[in-house]
Amino acid sequence: MNFNQFNLDSRLNAGIKRAGYEIATPIQEKAIPAAIAGKDLIGTAQTGTGKTAAFVLPILHKLLKGQRNQTRALIVTPTRELAEQIHQTVRELSAGTGLRSATVYGGVGAQPQVQAFQRGVEIIVACPGRLLDLHAKGQARLNRVEFLVLDEADRMFDMGFLPDVRRIVKAIPGKRQTLLFSATFEREVEKLARETLRKPERITVGLSRPAHTVSHALYPVPQHLKRVVLLELLKKTDTDSVLIFTRTKHRARRLEQQIGKAGYKATSLHSDRTQGQRQRALKGFKSGQFQIMVATDIAARGLDIDSISHVINFDMPDTADAYIHRIGRTGRAKRSGEAFTLTTPDDADLIRKLERIMKQKLERRELDNVDYSVPAPPKPANVRRRGNRSQRAGARKKRPHRSQRGK
Ligand code: AMP
């Protein structure tokens, strides 16, 4: 479907052209007409499907009618990087319309954000915590909001943000149009949707299945040989743009150093880095200054980097859904990509589940130049055993929520 079939305001043509969109993606084909018709929507779509433009375009279309200089659209999203990315999409698509957008999130000065509300910037893209802080101080004017987008609702749930999201919903007028997007629908997300949306239309594309342009391979390896296998794998790979995931920020930091020592231009993205460092890492990775970025799930959630050729899971994620989100960053919008995963025997259950969801057996590979029989170095006596995946999951319940752990 061509974009002019949507009858969008002609002032949006320049932006659509600038973004280089010609044919609408399936989610856009379904969501744009429904949203223009004023319906509340529940969109089941993973990143990489074009879902950002699917909600941004109808909102811009509607904002072009009616008042300026007041905040009429609020987009709530879990991470700062995602907020920046949506903001950039809004800027690109709204080029030449005079509509303004601003981001609101923690870790940076609040003053420009307060001023954005004072100036009545039409679109605010916010993470829940800072938005509520400003609202509590009377600095976030939300009483004119007509369009609310809850993006990546499942991840907001994972990160413990749903109580904050509910407070935000209470703070904006009940007479509004609400669009909610999520890759999966746990009971809590369904509950939020029931409370927040009116007679929503459901739109589903590619329900939690990875883009078919990605090929997957597993590299079974004992835990202590992961680094050796990774470095060997990098040697065999065209390392122009490789995103590597680790389970923790400590492992991300260590791996970045080790990869750097091996001669690659590497950076990392995790919550121990300042906002400025995170932005520089991302910018440098996008521009090609860095070939490799090592990231944790939370930091890299939903990132849209056009040219990623390979995603490597140094550690298997905790859930099948997280795997799908991670590899959603390669093979985007018809480009092909490869996803490599280093797996240990602990990962067996999750791999079975993934293969069920993806309806395919994942290829197991071995590298010729690695001696897999090298024994693990003896453990120092005072180091506790880590335990298997299910024990880790059990232990996690007692730990503070992910959002407080700062991955
Ligand atoms: P998203 O799922 O919103 O993260 O979008 C994934 C990528 O697809 C982004 O790089 C978009 O710029 C791109 N994209 C979105 N819509 C289209 C389209 N209709 N044609 C080509 N690329 C698109």
Side-chain angles (χ1 to χ4, degrees):
M1 194 170 178
N2 201 299
F3 276 89
N4 47 29
Q5 286 169 270
F6 293 125
N7 284 329
L8 287 163
D9 191 303
S10 59
R11 283 168 285 180
L12 294 173
N13 292 345
I16 294 170
K17 199 160 171 214
R18 179 187 280 212
Y21 304 166
E22 280 165 16
I23 308 292
T25 66
I27 184 98
Q28 291 163 359
E29 212 167 282
K30 294 178 184 169
I32 293 174
I36 289 180
K39 290 190 180 134
D40 280 4
L41 292 186
I42 296 180
T44 310
Q46 59 187 93
T47 56
T49 54
K51 73 180 161 78
T52 314
F55 62 75
V56 168
L57 281 171
I59 288 178
L60 292 175
H61 171 83
K62 293 191 162 217
L63 290 179
L64 282 167
K65 299 183 181 70
Q67 290 279 336
R68 297 274 172 119
N69 302 322
Q70 49 197 24
T71 300
R72 293 170 59 202
L74 176 66
I75 300 168
V76 184
T77 191
T79 69
R80 300 160 187 180
E81 282 78 13
L82 214 42
E84 278 301 329
Q85 202 165 283
I86 296 169
H87 171 64
Q88 291 309 329
T89 303
V90 171
R91 284 186 58 165
E92 194 167 41
L93 292 172
S94 65
T97 64
L99 292 169
R100 295 158 305 161
S101 160
T103 51
V104 168
Y105 51 70
V108 292
Q111 205 45 38
Q113 306 175 356
V114 173
Q115 281 163 1
F117 276 114
Q118 281 167 354
R119 282 186 286 129
V121 163
E122 288 81 12
I123 304 153
I124 295 278
V125 188
C127 298
R130 172 64 64 87
L131 179 63
L132 276 180
D133 284 351
L134 297 188
H135 185 255
K137 291 183 196 142
Q139 292 170 324
R141 293 185 192 170
L142 299 174
N143 58 338
R144 296 293 175 91
V145 171
E146 299 161 46
F147 306 103
L148 172 67
V149 178
L150 302 176
D151 186 35
E152 309 247 346
D154 50 346
R155 205 48 45 165
M156 294 209 270
F157 166 58
D158 282 352
M159 293 169 76
F161 287 154
L162 288 201
D164 284 356
V165 170
R166 288 194 164 89
R167 274 179 221 124
I168 292 166
V169 171
K170 277 207 188 104
I172 65 177
K175 191 168 167 326
R176 60 163 193 268
Q177 185 177 2
T178 309
L179 316 177
L180 181 146
F181 289 84
S182 198
T184 57
F185 278 84
E186 291 94 340
R187 206 174 329 140
E188 276 303 308
V189 176
E190 283 289 351
K191 189 160 168 261
L192 176 75
R194 269 200 310 280
E195 293 164 8
T196 316
L197 286 85
R198 273 187 219 110
K199 295 191 190 153
E201 184 163 311
R202 277 186 182 262
I203 291 172
T204 301
V205 293
L207 177 69
S208 268
R209 297 243 327 255
H212 57 265
T213 47
V214 180
S215 62
H216 308 256
L218 304 180
Y219 288 82
V221 55
Q223 187 69 36
H224 66 282
L225 291 179
K226 273 190 172 179
R227 189 170 51 85
V228 178
V229 166
L230 177 78
L231 292 176
E232 199 53 38
L233 195 55
L234 289 177
K235 271 193 218 159
K236 289 165 58 77
T237 304
D238 181 10
T239 47
D240 270 353
S241 180
V242 181
L243 181 58
I244 301 180
F245 284 97
T246 62
R247 192 160 39 77
T248 66
K249 58 191 176 188
H250 310 291
R251 284 162 82 83
R253 200 183 315 117
R254 202 153 10 110
L255 203 57
E256 178 198 356
Q257 286 166 359
Q258 289 163 341
I259 291 170
K261 273 199 200 127
Y264 298 96
K265 288 175 280 170
T267 186
S268 64
L269 193 69
H270 52 77
S271 65
D272 266 359
R273 308 203 80 189
T274 63
Q275 186 58 20
Q277 288 172 327
R278 284 161 73 155
Q279 273 164 357
R280 280 194 294 281
L282 202 52
K283 204 163 157 226
F285 185 54
K286 282 184 178 182
S287 71
Q289 181 194 349
F290 301 113
Q291 303 161 268
I292 299 177
M293 183 162 79
V294 188
T296 58
D297 283 303
I298 298 284
R301 167 80 194 170
L303 288 185
D304 177 28
I305 305 160
D306 276 349
S307 56
I308 291 179
S309 57
H310 295 82
V311 167
I312 301 181
N313 296 312
F314 185 74
D315 297 310
M316 190 78 174
D318 284 339
T319 62
D321 187 44
Y323 177 91
I324 287 157
H325 276 117
R326 284 183 182 183
I327 61 123
R329 285 167 204 80
T330 185
R332 291 201 148 202
K334 307 232 169 79
R335 287 178 206 93
S336 57
E338 287 188 291
F340 300 146
T341 304
L342 310 195
T343 64
T344 66
D346 282 351
D347 303 323
D349 285 351
L350 188 55
I351 292 168
R352 265 195 298 279
K353 193 167 167 201
L354 263 179
E355 290 180 327
R356 263 201 316 276
I357 293 173
M358 289 162 56
K359 298 193 172 71
Q360 68 179 87
K361 184 145 174 67
L362 299 174
E363 187 191 340
R364 272 74 168 166
R365 292 187 192 160
E366 248 189 29
L367 294 172
D368 290 341
N369 295 343
V370 175
D371 179 1
Y372 287 89
S373 63
V374 172
K379 284 195 170 62
N382 59 351
V383 173
R384 267 190 305 134
R385 271 177 61 80
R386 189 172 273 286
N388 64 24
R389 177 174 299 279
S390 57
Q391 285 166 335
R392 287 208 305 270
R396 207 167 29 248
K397 288 200 182 101
K398 297 183 201 81
R399 287 159 63 195
H401 198 276
R402 218 187 260 222
S403 55
Q404 277 102 48
R405 291 210 309 272
K407 273 200 177 177

